[in-house]
Amino acid sequence: MTTILGLETSCDETAAAVVAGGRRILSNVVASQVEIHARYGGVFPELASRQHIRDILPVIEEALSQAMMELGQLDGIAVTIGPGLAGSLVVGVNAAKGLALALNLPLIGINHLEAHIYTLWTQTPEIEFPLLCLIASGGHTNLVLMTDHGQYEPLGQTLDDAAGEAFDKVARLLGLGYPGGPAIQEKAEEGDPKAFDLPRAWLSGTYNFSFSGLKTAVLYLVRRLEEESNELPLADLAASFQAAVVDVLVKKTRLAAHEHGVKQVLLVGGVAANTLLRQKMSRRVEIPVLYPPPELCTDNAVGVAAAGWFRLEAGERSGLDLDAVPSLRLT
Ligand code: KG4
Ligand code: ZN
């Protein structure tokens, strides 16, 4: 079975994974930089690229060691080329090119959003087209119709903040730390999602999203509450905010799934780790909703290697002039 090494350095995780036949995970190693960026409340691009340089080789070695493989046993190299931070992406791309050249292996550049989608091929034996993907992460919120391997039709996207970005910004506002998604989810467990009536931007007639108005509404609400009392009702605020984001994501996904008559819905990206989103999506969308385990929702190289296998099988190859494309689109 063809064994692919996947590399991912698009943001603040240095990741390498070995996947056989596009489906069987032999190893999955992620070096997170969360602690480095936490004090800035978000990713500091210059520090991210420096840390990738430190981590990339040990992470690759660990991925091979966990897979109990030598470099010479690999059959191909796949790497994220974008979208992402330029200085971070080039670390992975250069490492991949070096390996492909030294080992004389086929090389394939992968879109980061495609990698999020393909993590599911390692989890579920039967994935049926056409399917609808909701990709919700720190950098993206996209609804994409997928008609076949590598065939994408974008239906909508965020016009301002990504869903995960909204979680991160509101968490910072509430003093809950970084990354915001898990912090808000935890706080929301003790709160009432109906405590505050926060706005939902429906943008009716489109599959686009907007979360910046919601973020601003939380800001004004927090200011008003701070004038009234010394102590903020953090749990109620977190629960009300989370409910507003989840409502919009679920309703739009449900509408798009019906309109396009898809067989399945794939929920991927960091925000797909959110328990409320997973529950409500499964309950309200009438067709099967698939999502990866939480550790494969956030950035990893498993999906890079899986997507790489499918593209290499289809005869695609990237040249050694492969470059990072920070604003790469999924088309
Ligand atoms: O996919 P990812 O690791 O990186 C990007 O490609 O952006 O997504 C990270 C984002 C962060 O904004 C983080 O706050 C969010 O995913 N996230 C969550 C949860 N876990 C991570 N958002 C909501 N609920 C969660 N449990
Ligand atoms: Zn991502």
Side-chain angles (χ1 to χ4, degrees):
M1 203 182 270
T2 318
T3 306
I4 308 296
L5 172 70
L7 301 181
E8 151 67 39
T9 62
S10 68
C11 191
D12 61 343
E13 260 100 27
T14 317
V18 180
V19 176
R23 293 180 186 273
R24 199 157 64 86
I25 302 175
L26 302 182
S27 66
N28 173 26
V29 179
V30 181
S32 171
Q33 303 179 5
V34 160
E35 281 173 23
I36 294 170
H37 303 290
R39 82 186 89 136
Y40 304 100
V43 179
F44 195 125
E46 179 64 27
L47 291 179
S49 58
R50 286 188 200 191
Q51 195 59 35
H52 284 307
I53 292 169
R54 289 188 199 104
D55 287 341
I56 187 78
L57 291 180
V59 163
I60 292 171
E61 279 165 9
E62 181 63 22
L64 288 167
S65 147
Q66 283 185 16
M68 290 189 284
M69 290 184 71
E70 310 266 333
L71 274 175
Q73 293 171 286
L74 292 170
D75 298 303
I77 311 283
V79 61
T80 306
I81 55 166
L85 301 169
S88 289
L89 287 163
V90 293
V91 179
V93 172
N94 285 338
K97 289 201 291 195
L99 286 171
L101 178 66
L103 303 166
N104 195 24
L105 287 177
L107 171 71
I108 188 80
I110 297 295
N111 183 303
H112 179 68
L113 304 183
E114 178 169 75
H116 272 300
I117 294 170
Y118 272 83
T119 54
L120 270 166
W121 265 266
T122 65
Q123 303 298 307
T124 315
E126 290 306 322
I127 297 188
E128 289 182 85
F129 299 110
L131 52 86
L132 179 70
C133 306
L134 172 66
I135 308 159
S137 71
H140 305 274
T141 307
N142 297 53
L143 268 172
V144 178
L145 184 66
M146 190 175 177
T147 49
D148 203 342
H149 285 291
Q151 301 296 314
Y152 306 100
E153 190 186 310
L155 301 180
Q157 61 183 31
T158 183
L159 302 179
D160 40 59
D161 292 348
E165 189 179 356
F167 270 94
D168 294 336
K169 286 179 175 171
V170 167
R172 195 174 348 167
L173 195 73
L174 301 179
L176 295 177
Y178 173 84
I184 287 194
Q185 170 169 314
E186 199 188 330
K187 203 63 183 166
E189 279 168 18
E190 310 142 28
D192 173 8
K194 294 204 174 83
F196 301 105
D197 188 17
L198 292 168
R200 276 98 167 131
W202 295 116
L203 307 181
S204 299
T206 77
Y207 290 121
N208 291 330
F209 300 91
S210 166
F211 295 106
S212 74
L214 170 61
K215 173 196 66 191
T216 310
V218 176
L219 174 69
Y220 287 133
L221 176 60
V222 164
R223 281 192 191 156
R224 183 167 64 75
L225 292 168
E226 277 172 343
E227 279 169 20
E228 290 168 9
S229 151
N230 288 333
E231 211 174 320
L232 280 176
L234 289 178
D236 285 348
L237 283 165
S240 302
F241 164 77
Q242 178 176 255
V245 176
V246 168
D247 263 2
V248 176
L249 292 177
V250 171
K251 189 164 176 189
K252 295 232 157 196
T253 305
R254 184 171 180 272
L255 276 174
H258 279 272
E259 186 188 328
H260 292 278
V262 296
K263 297 209 171 98
Q264 292 167 335
V265 171
L266 309 191
L267 182 57
V268 300
V271 181
N274 187 272
T275 310
L276 185 72
L277 180 63
R278 292 157 89 97
Q279 285 170 352
K280 289 218 164 159
M281 200 67 91
S282 300
R283 247 183 255 147
R284 293 205 197 145
V285 178
E286 290 83 354
I287 48 175
V289 178
L290 312 177
Y291 37 77
E295 68 277 11
L296 288 180
C297 288
T298 44
D299 288 346
N300 64 80
V302 165
V304 181
W309 184 84
F310 280 95
R311 287 199 176 268
L312 289 169
E313 277 288 297
E316 290 182 44
R317 299 285 184 272
S318 301
L320 286 172
D321 57 349
L322 183 68
D323 208 351
V325 188
S327 56
L328 187 66
R329 296 169 80 89
L330 187 64
T331 47

